[in-house]
Amino acid sequence: MFPAFWLYGENGSEIDVTEMKGERINQTHWDVHGDVITGPAGGWVTATGDFDADFNTLRAEWTKDWVIWSLNSIEYALYLVEYEESMELILNMTL
């Protein structure tokens, strides 16, 4: 399975809360995309346990100046970016 949860903006901007692509066990991918991105972004974070053995909380907090990601209340990424457009919430599950 390939679960993905992200925000998609009017101008193609995107905030990836999580993408579990399957090629990395117990890891999730986070990212930002769009015209306002000025440097490298995105990366992988590893869970302390098995994603499939227990509940986990993935979070992205978005303000007009930054996005911060956390896994089980531990912050692991901060990206300074100005996203002032409205965004749609998308949840996807692919088999």
Side-chain angles (χ1 to χ4, degrees), residues 62-77:
W62 161 43
T63 73
K64 70 175 191 71
D65 298 316
W66 48 263
V67 182
I68 192 164
W69 291 261
S70 67
L71 172 61
N72 298 326
S73 299
I74 299 171
E75 296 174 351
Y76 62 83

Side-chain angles (χ1 to χ4, degrees), residues 30-48:
W30 64 274
D31 213 339
V32 289
H33 309 277
D35 293 340
V36 296
I37 305 305
T38 58
W44 293 90
V45 63
T46 303
T48 55

Side-chain angles (χ1 to χ4, degrees), residues 6-15 85-90:
W6 73 95
L7 299 162
Y8 190 75
E10 300 166 349
N11 298 319
S13 298
E14 186 176 320
I15 299 172
E85 63 187 281
S86 62
M87 292 194 172
E88 301 285 330
L89 181 63
I90 300 171

